[in-house]
Amino acid sequence: MITHGNEIKLFAGNSNLPLAKAIAAKLNTTLGDAEVGKFSDGEISVHIGETVRGRDLFIIQSTSSPVNDNLMELLILIDAAKRASAGRITAVMPYFGYARQDRKARSRDPITAKLVADLLTSAGADRILTMDLHAAQIQGFFNIPVDNLLGGPTLYNYFSSRISGDDFIVVSPDVGSVNRARKVAERLNCPMAIIDKRRPKANVMEVMNIIGNVKGKQCLLVDDMIDTGGTIVQGAQALVDAGATHIYACCTHAVLSGPAIERIEKSPIEELVMLDTVQLPEEKKLSKIKILTTADIFAAAIENVYLDKPMSKIYD
């Protein structure tokens, strides 16, 4: 058990208990005693069953589906800890929901990511620990420290053993993912291609053309999030049509809502590698899906926050 002044305490909501327990195990501790349920009318019920006065608290909760329930669980857990005189409260959010609403894309649109940032701060969070924010500028929506961890190293370390010769290429499924794909390509020391697309409406993608030569290549599609699967699946088909030989895909956050599983199962993607920031139900675990854990990274990050150490070395 790491020790430093006030004792560390880990608590979790119901969004991703397997990951929370794995993080606790890496830190040689267990999750704190907290009852997180619902009243008969659906309101969230929270009770912390042990003293947290003056303690360094880390509340682990992804705001994945059901998004609003999981967000409310997190807010109420923070409020309960604050009112119980916790010393410092860090919201550990492996997946930060509402991150796609980060700007006014149209007139009279909300900026919900900023609203959620304000809610978390008002509830009493002193720090946010998350991974691969959909938009990096969300860090600036907070008036408290935000540590945005990187899922890329875990993913490219997995694929590094696949590379042999010069027939491997990293592909960005859209222009918005270019920086992310470029970092992976640099780490894997291989070229990069970009799929240029036009999106007529939300969750509908039309592939326009591929920038780069993918003929005869093994392709790795890199994205931060897969939701309905439209972007990644149509991108994979476009690569096959352009002469690619093998298609792999990877992402940090596997939201996989709506028709995503059916689309992926029927797609030319041979293997989809994802991190466990969002808990994947058993019925969605296809044979072509590989899940890598982020417990090591989050445990190291929590320890660094607790001991006031820099984050940069946890990827070494």
Side-chain angles (χ1 to χ4, degrees), residues 3-246:
T3 57
H4 167 66
N6 291 321
E7 184 185 356
I8 189 173
K9 292 279 189 180
L10 301 182
F11 291 92
N14 293 311
S15 69
N16 199 337
L17 281 171
L19 175 58
K21 290 176 180 177
I23 292 170
K26 293 290 182 183
L27 292 169
N28 297 317
T29 186
T30 57
L31 294 177
D33 178 15
E35 297 175 11
V36 185
K38 289 184 178 181
F39 293 108
S40 59
D41 64 351
E43 293 178 3
I44 304 298
S45 167
V46 167
H47 174 68
I48 295 176
E50 60 185 272
T51 182
V52 296
R53 184 175 295 274
R55 303 295 200 274
D56 213 345
L57 256 63
F58 294 84
I59 301 173
I60 304 167
Q61 177 84 328
S62 283
T63 48
S64 50
S65 181
V67 182
N68 298 328
D69 283 356
N70 288 331
L71 176 58
M72 283 304 299
E73 283 186 8
L74 177 57
L75 293 171
I76 296 171
L77 276 165
I78 293 170
D79 183 73
K82 180 182 178 182
R83 294 178 187 280
S85 301
R88 181 171 61 168
I89 303 168
T90 300
V92 182
M93 305 174 69
Y95 170 68
F96 186 98
Y98 283 117
R100 283 173 285 187
Q101 298 181 49
D102 63 297
R103 66 194 185 283
K104 288 187 69 172
R106 300 171 302 175
S107 299
R108 297 173 297 280
D109 272 2
I111 304 180
T112 321
K114 169 60 174 168
L115 173 62
V116 171
D118 290 342
L119 289 170
L120 289 163
T121 306
S122 296
D126 297 301
R127 189 181 201 97
I128 305 295
L129 184 58
T130 187
M131 177 172 278
D132 282 353
L133 283 170
H134 188 65
Q137 66 265 24
I138 292 173
Q139 286 180 286
F141 292 176
F142 288 87
N143 293 321
I144 57 175
V146 177
D147 290 305
N148 186 25
L149 302 179
L150 304 176
T154 303
L155 294 169
Y156 59 63
N157 285 341
Y158 175 82
F159 281 100
S160 61
S161 61
R162 301 288 188 89
I163 299 176
S164 57
D166 57 358
D167 68 337
F168 199 91
I169 186 168
V170 171
V171 181
S172 173
D174 55 27
V175 175
S177 296
V178 168
N179 286 338
R180 188 174 296 105
R182 182 182 290 118
K183 289 177 182 177
V184 175
E186 288 173 353
R187 290 287 187 162
L188 295 178
N189 194 27
C190 64
M192 187 182 83
I194 302 168
I195 297 175
D196 180 33
K197 67 175 186 178
R198 178 172 60 87
R199 190 187 295 274
K201 57 183 179 180
N203 293 329
V204 176
M205 188 197 79
E206 179 182 341
V207 173
M208 300 296 285
N209 55 65
I210 297 172
I211 303 168
N213 180 23
V214 298
K215 188 173 182 179
K217 304 279 189 180
Q218 298 183 69
C219 297
L220 172 61
L221 284 157
V222 177
D223 211 346
D224 67 319
M225 177 196 308
I226 298 177
D227 188 358
T228 60
T231 296
I232 210 85
V233 166
Q234 290 186 45
Q237 187 59 54
L239 293 173
V240 170
D241 294 343
T245 56
H246 299 282

